[in-house]
Structure formats: structure tokens, C-alpha cells
Amino acid sequence: MKRDSRLSGVLHVLLHMAQQPGPFTSETLAKAMDTNPVVIRRIMAGLRDLGYVRSEKGHGGGWTLDCDLTQVTLRDVYIALGSPSLLAIGNRTEAPGCLVEQSVNAALDQAFGDAQALLLSHLGEVTLAMLGDDLRKRLGSRKLQGMSAHGA
């Protein structure tokens, strides 16, 4: 089963955008996420609609951050992506006629709901600024070793 990695990818490009001034084209961001620029434009449009980024057309244009990183949480970005499914597992049948499967579904639905609530709560406690702070610490350590953010 293919995992949805959009949240991870978007957080990746948002941190790059926070570290370097100036606009980023959809093509540049697509290379960072190893995807198509059309996918980037679709994803970034959701972030733009919520005021996290803005776009400028034309020569020298592109995407720039338009928010206070201390105020935007990972949950905010997750919601901007359309709240994709957090769990890759689910019930075999959503409306079973079998009483056994109804019992199984009830137990699993409770567990899935609890897990999702816990994960969303945690995502709501981590801001983009906190990720940026962690990145700066890691960069400092790598620079001492003569390495860049992406490896050697």
C-alpha cells in the first residue's frame, strides 16, 4: 500500500523556503519533492488559500512564505492539505451484516479514533518554527563535520 507522503514533503519545502530568502518556482519545489510542478501548484494553492504562502507570477516570481512560523502547526499544514487519511489500515467492510464483524469494527473504530486524535493533538503542538530550530541545530552539527543539509 502506497503511503501518502505529502505532509512530509510539504514540510520539507516549507523549511527550505524559511531558510532562504526569495521566491521558489514550482519547478524548483517539485525537484525538492521529487514530483511534478503541477502537483506542487495544487498543494501550494491549499496553503495559499489559508494564508501560509503567496505566489507571484512572471519573471522573478514564485512561492514565498506569508506567515509567522511560530503560529503555524504541523496540524495546520495537514489541514491545508485536505486532511488526508492518517492511518493506512481500516475495516474490511464498512457496513457489515455479520454481528461478529460489527463487533470487530466497533473495537477498531474506537482504536482508530483514539490514535487519530492523539496524532492530531501532537501535530498541533509542533510549529514550523520548532522544526526550523531543530534544523538549525542539525546544520550546526553537520557544518562542524563539513557536510550539507542533504548529506555529504
Side-chain angles (χ1 to χ4, degrees):
M1 177 180 291
K2 189 169 178 0
R3 293 188 295 178
D4 185 335
S5 61
R6 287 179 297 162
L7 179 60
S8 176
V10 167
L11 293 171
H12 182 142
V13 298
L14 289 174
L15 284 182
H16 274 294
M17 292 170 71
Q19 299 302 312
Q20 298 176 12
F24 286 77
T25 66
S26 296
E27 289 74 18
T28 300
L29 296 176
K31 285 180 185 174
M33 283 183 63
D34 193 28
T35 191
N36 189 293
V38 172
V39 173
I40 292 295
R41 285 190 281 276
R42 190 177 316 123
I43 289 171
M44 297 302 276
L47 296 171
R48 181 188 56 217
D49 292 346
L50 293 174
Y52 303 140
V53 297
R54 70 175 182 270
S55 63
E56 298 291 329
K57 294 183 180 185
H59 182 71
W63 298 98
T64 55
L65 288 174
D66 196 29
C67 62
D68 179 350
L69 299 182
T70 65
Q71 300 300 308
V72 180
T73 67
L74 304 190
R75 181 175 54 210
D76 296 329
V77 177
Y78 163 79
I79 291 168
L81 290 173
S83 303
S85 178
L86 290 171
L87 302 174
I89 58 175
N91 296 326
R92 187 175 73 93
T93 306
E94 290 304 316
C98 175
L99 295 178
V100 171
E101 193 163 357
Q102 288 175 16
S103 292
V104 169
N105 284 6
L108 290 177
D109 287 345
Q110 181 65 48
F112 297 155
D114 291 348
Q116 184 162 320
L118 182 62
L119 181 53
L120 287 173
S121 174
H122 182 70
L123 292 176
E125 295 171 2
V126 180
T127 66
L128 293 179
M130 293 165 78
L131 292 183
D133 291 343
D134 182 66
L135 171 61
R136 281 186 284 288
K137 288 177 193 169
R138 291 171 189 273
L139 279 173
S141 174
R142 288 236 170 165
K143 284 182 181 176
L144 291 174
Q145 298 171 19
M147 299 170 72
S148 73
H150 281 271

